[in-house]
């Protein structure tokens, strides 16, 4: 193991250097392997063109979106690491309560949060333990218990919301206003398509392709 350790360290350093030069390629081990084989040099332009020709454009778009999603999740994990929240679902619960502006029944809170009862209950219990939530009787029906956000929870929500606002600006920092407008328009078009797919309940990819893609041609 002692003989391997220096090689492992060099490999980690090489990967760090690769991601620093190619942020969008983080996690693409095939591309990283090619980078190592070239001794850390950029690929010839004809190789880049060949890759573009070999991989269909929709697949490249999907890959870019996947990498962007990976970056966003990493930023969020770093953000939550410096907060009282353990994971994204914690923030979802606080967001739903903040938007409601009132206490909610546990079942109502879970439904609005779109969390499964088992995992959602675990999140609520964790937030109760951190004094970010509390349970109070419904003033209109003392038999009903409502989950409410505490002052401490409200402060945490506001702080993280401010950080996410900064993150959203950073995510598109290299786009000017016109580019942001065009990107938003195109993303909305994609979401309109997939909202319809989700509503259809169809799971077979071949059927989805036939029903939706051909309709757009």
């Amino acid at each position: 193991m002692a003989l391997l350790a220096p090689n492992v360290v060099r490999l980690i350093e090489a990967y760090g250097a690769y991601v620093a030069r190619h942020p969008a390629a983080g996690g693409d081990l095939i591309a990283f392997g090619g980078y190592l084989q070239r001794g850390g040099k950029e690929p010839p332009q004809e190789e880049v063109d060949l890759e573009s020709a070999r991989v269909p454009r929709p697949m490249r778009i999907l890959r870019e979106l996947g990498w962007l999603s990976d970056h966003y999740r990493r930023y969020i994990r770093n953000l939550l690491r410096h907060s009282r929240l353990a994971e994204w679902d914690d923030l979802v619960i606080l967001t739903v309560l903040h938007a409601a502006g009132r206490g909610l029944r546990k079942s109502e809170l879970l439904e609005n949060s779109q969390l499964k009862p088992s995992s959602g209950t675990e999140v609520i219990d964790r937030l109760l333990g951190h004094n970010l939530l509390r349970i109070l009787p419904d003033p209109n029906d003392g038999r009903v218990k409502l989950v409410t956000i505490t002052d401490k929870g409200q402060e945490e929500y506001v702080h993280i919301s401010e950080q996410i606002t900064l993150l959203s600006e950073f995510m598109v920092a290299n786009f000017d206003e016109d580019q942001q407008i065009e990107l938003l328009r195109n993303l909305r078009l994609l979401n309109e398509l997939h909202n319809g797919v989700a509503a259809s309940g169809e799971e077979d990819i071949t059927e989805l392709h036939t029903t939706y893609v051909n309709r757009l041609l």
Side-chain angles (χ1 to χ4, degrees):
M1 293 298 291
L3 295 176
L4 293 177
N7 293 333
V8 173
V9 170
R10 285 196 293 272
L11 182 63
I12 293 173
E13 292 175 346
Y15 183 71
Y18 171 72
V19 173
R21 293 173 61 181
H22 309 86
D28 189 338
L29 297 183
I30 295 177
F32 176 54
Y35 170 84
L36 292 178
Q37 291 178 344
R38 294 189 300 272
K41 297 179 180 179
E42 296 296 331
Q45 184 60 40
E46 58 268 22
E47 184 177 325
V48 175
D49 293 341
L50 178 61
E51 170 70 9
S52 297
R54 185 170 60 243
V55 181
R57 186 180 297 110
M59 181 63 73
R60 299 206 309 273
I61 292 173
L62 188 62
R63 188 167 60 182
E64 294 290 344
L65 288 173
W67 286 334
L68 188 62
S69 178
D70 287 343
H71 294 320
Y72 179 69
R73 286 196 296 267
R74 185 176 73 255
Y75 294 141
I76 290 295
R77 285 196 300 269
N78 291 339
L79 171 61
L80 295 181
R81 189 175 296 124
H82 299 287
S83 75
R84 298 185 181 95
L85 306 186
E87 57 186 53
W88 178 258
D89 287 346
D90 294 23
L91 180 57
V92 171
I93 290 290
L94 292 185
T95 300
V96 169
L97 286 171
H98 173 82
R102 59 182 177 85
L104 298 175
R105 298 187 184 193
K106 182 178 177 181
S107 58
E108 184 181 10
L109 176 57
L110 293 176
E111 180 180 356
N112 292 347
S113 303
Q114 297 185 350
L115 298 178
K116 295 180 179 178
S118 57
S119 57
T121 297
E122 182 178 332
V123 172
I124 292 173
D125 289 343
R126 179 167 58 245
L127 295 176
L128 287 169
H130 290 308
N131 193 32
L132 300 177
L133 300 181
R134 62 184 172 185
I135 296 180
L136 298 174
D138 185 337
N140 299 318
D141 185 349
R143 298 169 299 176
V144 175
K145 302 296 183 182
L146 300 179
V147 182
T148 64
I149 188 170
T150 64
D151 290 342
K152 183 179 178 182
Q154 187 67 26
E155 291 174 3
E156 191 69 20
Y157 170 80
V158 170
H159 171 71
I160 292 181
S161 295
E162 291 171 349
Q163 294 295 303
I164 291 179
T165 297
L166 293 176
L167 173 58
S168 69
E169 295 173 357
F170 169 62
M171 290 292 294
V172 293
N174 60 337
F175 274 26
D176 61 28
E177 184 176 358
D178 289 340
Q179 289 173 314
Q180 290 182 30
I181 292 172
E182 182 64 14
L183 175 62
L184 182 59
R185 186 185 75 84
N186 289 326
L187 290 175
R188 282 175 173 168
L189 287 174
L190 283 174
N191 269 308
E192 287 176 7
L193 166 65
H194 295 290
N195 286 338
V197 170
S200 74
E202 177 61 62
E203 297 180 357
D204 184 88
I205 296 300
T206 302
E207 290 295 328
L208 290 175
H209 187 279
T210 301
T211 302
Y212 290 92
V213 177
N214 292 346
R215 182 186 300 173
L216 301 175
L217 298 179

